[in-house]
Amino acid sequence: GKPAVEVEQAVLDEGERIANQLRRYLRVINGVSTVCPLLGLLGTVWGMMEAFNAIAGSAAMGRPELLAAGISQALLSTAAGLFVAIPALIFYLYFVGRVDALVMDIDQLGQDQCRGTR
C-alpha cells in the first residue's frame, strides 16, 4: 500500500545495510594480509641487524656460525609473514568477490520487487 518510491528507497536502504554487514569482517582479513608482510620485513631487518652486529662485535670473519642466527631469524620472520599474508589475501579476494555477487543479487531482487509493485 505504499508508494513505489518509498518501497524502492526502503529496498535500497536495506540493501546497503546488508552489504555493510557482509563487508564488516573483510576489513580484518585485509588488514591481516597487509600487516603480516610488514611484520615479516621488520623481523628481516632485525635479524640482519643482529647478523651485522655479530660481525662488528667479534672476529666473525671466516666464522659463518656467528652470522647464522641473525640470518635465520631474518628468513624465518619473512617466511612467517608471507605464510600468513598469502592465504589471508586469497581469502580476502574470494570473499570480496562473493560479497559483490551477493550485493548484485540483492540489487536485482530489489529491482524485480520494485517493478512488481508498480
Side-chain angles (χ1 to χ4, degrees):
K2 301 276 185 183
V5 174
E6 269 187 55
V7 172
E8 189 171 353
Q9 189 59 46
V11 169
L12 289 173
D13 290 345
E14 186 62 21
E16 279 296 315
R17 279 192 288 276
I18 296 298
N20 285 333
Q21 286 177 354
L22 290 172
R23 289 187 178 110
R24 179 180 49 213
Y25 296 112
L26 291 178
R27 293 179 193 104
V28 173
I29 298 172
N30 186 30
V32 168
S33 69
T34 302
V35 170
C36 282
L38 297 174
L39 292 174
L41 181 61
L42 177 64
T44 300
V45 171
W46 192 273
M48 295 308 290
M49 286 172 25
E50 284 188 10
F52 286 120
N53 283 337
I55 292 173
S58 64
M61 291 302 181
R63 296 185 58 203
E65 67 275 3
L66 294 177
L67 300 174
I71 293 172
S72 174
Q73 178 183 348
L75 294 175
L76 184 62
S77 65
T78 301
L82 293 174
F83 185 75
V84 173
I86 290 170
L89 182 59
I90 291 169
F91 285 133
Y92 173 74
L93 294 173
Y94 170 77
F95 286 124
V96 163
R98 184 79 176 112
V99 166
D100 288 346
L102 289 170
V103 168
M104 289 178 64
D105 287 347
I106 290 169
D107 185 47
Q108 185 63 46
L109 290 170
Q111 288 179 9
D112 292 347
Q113 184 67 29
C114 288
R115 282 190 205 115
T117 60
R118 289 182 184 180

